[in-house]
Amino acid sequence: MVGSASAANVTLNTAGKKATATLVLSADAKTKAAAAGLSFGAAGNAYTGSTAGTFVLPITKSVVDVSLFKPITPVSGEAIGSALLASKGTKTLALANFKIDYAKDEIAGDFIYNGQTQNMALFSFTESTPRTIKLSGLSLVMNQTLGDVRLTSDATSSLTSALGSSGALSAFAGANMGTITIDVSTLSRKAVSTKPYTASMMVPEAS
């Protein structure tokens, strides 16, 4: 893992480490998605988990604050090259290239639809479990679950604009999407791509 320092922050390349962010959709989100006629998939680096409504996004970069006389704290993280697909009928959009900002409690990324890409804040969250975090040399070890994951107003507006406004779709957009578990270890994996997922790559993972 390659690291670089700037002020008190250390940037860690986790593309070749077992580092993942796992989204588990809540029962409420799955029920409301079904009512709205939505289906989901994974693309790029992302893949579906072993249970329905689970999506695994490999983390490609982490930034932590290692200021003296303070506990190590996460600053940001990225899952570049990963995409979550949402389809309704013949229409499909992608949320991709995720970047978590702990100062804002939000996850930004690219909203891709009809060949167009717009970067925006996609999700808000709360830190629902205490984090465990440490550095082992230049390798990060971290585990935490983020809860109350919700679409932002910008993401909701873009979703309903792309897939068609309806009461059922609005109900889904307002739901608690579930949890995201962040798990970073020192174990190695085959390095994933750090190239952004783009509109030209919108082919869903077979499931």
Side-chain angles (χ1 to χ4, degrees):
M1 180 186 297
V2 177
S4 62
S6 175
N9 290 347
V10 173
T11 299
L12 302 165
N13 180 348
T14 55
K17 294 293 182 180
K18 284 195 173 181
T20 56
T22 302
L23 168 65
V24 179
L25 292 177
S26 68
D28 186 47
K30 288 189 286 187
T31 297
K32 289 177 177 175
L38 290 175
S39 60
F40 303 103
N45 292 337
Y47 54 95
T48 54
S50 58
T51 57
T54 300
F55 304 92
V56 184
L57 287 64
I59 299 169
T60 52
K61 184 171 78 173
S62 297
V63 179
V64 294
D65 183 343
V66 293
S67 298
L68 291 175
F69 313 117
K70 289 173 55 180
I72 297 172
T73 56
V75 176
S76 63
E78 298 182 0
I80 302 301
S82 287
L84 300 175
L85 307 181
S87 299
K88 180 177 172 64
T90 60
K91 298 178 179 180
T92 298
L93 61 84
L95 308 180
N97 307 316
F98 303 95
K99 299 182 180 182
I100 185 170
D101 186 332
Y102 278 91
K104 297 180 179 179
D105 287 346
E106 70 179 26
I107 300 169
D110 293 330
F111 187 99
I112 304 173
Y113 178 69
N114 198 26
Q116 303 297 311
T117 300
Q118 184 179 1
N119 189 263
M120 65 179 70
L122 297 172
F123 299 102
S124 62
F125 64 85
T126 60
E127 298 186 50
S128 60
T129 65
R131 73 175 74 103
T132 59
I133 182 170
K134 66 179 181 178
L135 283 175
S136 177
L138 282 178
S139 290
L140 177 67
V141 177
M142 178 176 171
N143 184 269
Q144 184 180 31
T145 297
L146 310 178
D148 198 24
V149 178
R150 296 180 181 272
L151 289 172
T152 64
S153 58
D154 284 348
T156 296
S157 176
S158 296
L159 176 75
T160 55
S161 176
L163 301 183
S165 180
S166 69
L169 190 59
S170 295
F172 165 77
N176 178 348
M177 294 297 154
T179 61
I180 297 174
T181 298
I182 296 171
D183 191 14
V184 183
S185 80
T186 60
L187 298 176
S188 297
R189 66 181 173 199
K190 181 179 178 181
V192 297
S193 173
T194 57
K195 293 181 179 180
Y197 183 88
T198 64
S200 63
M201 301 162 67
M202 285 186 66
V203 179
E205 176 193 85
S207 60

